Amino acid sequence: MRRAAATGATESLPYAWGALAAVTVFALYLATLSPTTALWDTSEYIAAARVLGLPHPPGNPLFVLIAHAFGLLPIPVSYAARINILAALCSSIAAGSWFLLIDFILARGGVPVLRRRVCATAGVTLGATAFTVWNQSVVNEKVYTISLALFGIITGLMRRWLDAENDPRKDRRLVAIAFLLGAG
């Protein structure tokens, strides 16, 4: 997808840079990943995902279904570690989405490319290594990381919807946004 920069020139969104940010954050999370579960809700949610059960209200059925499917993958670690990998993956998807969003906003403001990339990298680094995000992504998996990934994806869809001024099919993004909001 191409967009007009503040200078009037067209340039591509930095999807490769966003993917690199996501992969880097994922590698960082994998290096610090908990091999098992933690106390309280984390264990309850992992057990519920394993048996397709219902954790305490509100139940979070989307998390249970996604975690159950991910837990069935033949990754040679414990079931709890697979769910922790899911949390790391979801947070890294969100990080890549935030990189693209930061770059997009700064491009709209006319910020030069190098400065945009540095700012987006700094923003993603600060966000991904904030204590709560890091903790939820590597040791204390519950539903928050899937919500974070959904929020990043929804924000990206909203940005693309706003950018598609002359596209007669742009409203299908609104349908996707409504679906993801409802599912989440």
Side-chain angles (χ1 to χ4, degrees):
M1 172 162 180
R2 305 203 60 74
R3 63 180 154 89
T7 61
T10 56
E11 61 182 79
S12 296
L13 279 172
Y15 289 114
W17 285 85
L20 179 62
V23 167
T24 303
V25 168
F26 186 59
L28 178 66
Y29 287 157
L30 284 180
T32 60
L33 190 75
S34 173
T36 187
T37 186
L39 295 175
W40 306 111
D41 290 352
T42 304
S43 299
E44 177 187 5
Y45 277 99
I46 290 174
R50 176 92 186 220
V51 299
L52 285 176
L54 293 173
H56 65 275
N60 302 293
L62 181 66
F63 168 80
V64 170
L65 290 173
I66 292 172
H68 180 76
F70 200 87
L72 294 175
L73 293 176
I75 301 171
V77 293
S78 71
Y79 188 85
R82 287 193 293 267
I83 305 305
N84 289 338
I85 291 170
L86 170 65
L89 179 64
C90 288
S91 290
S92 64
I93 289 169
S97 297
W98 300 137
F99 185 95
L100 294 175
L101 183 65
I102 293 168
D103 183 83
F104 174 77
I105 291 170
L106 294 176
R108 282 267 170 115
V111 176
V113 173
L114 180 61
R115 187 174 294 164
R116 288 193 329 245
R117 298 305 190 289
V118 169
C119 291
T121 301
V124 165
T125 302
L126 288 173
T129 59
F131 175 77
T132 301
V133 175
W134 191 308
N135 189 36
Q136 294 295 324
S137 300
V138 299
V139 69
N140 198 21
E141 165 45 32
K142 292 195 286 190
V143 299
Y144 305 121
T145 57
I146 290 178
S147 296
L148 190 62
L150 281 175
F151 188 61
I153 292 166
I154 289 168
T155 305
L157 285 171
M158 289 171 36
R159 181 202 47 81
R160 291 187 68 197
W161 177 77
L162 289 170
D163 241 12
E165 296 171 8
N166 299 323
D167 184 0
R169 301 180 312 161
K170 77 176 199 171
D171 289 340
R172 61 192 170 140
R173 289 186 184 97
L174 287 177
V175 174
I177 290 167
F179 174 77
L180 290 174
L181 283 171

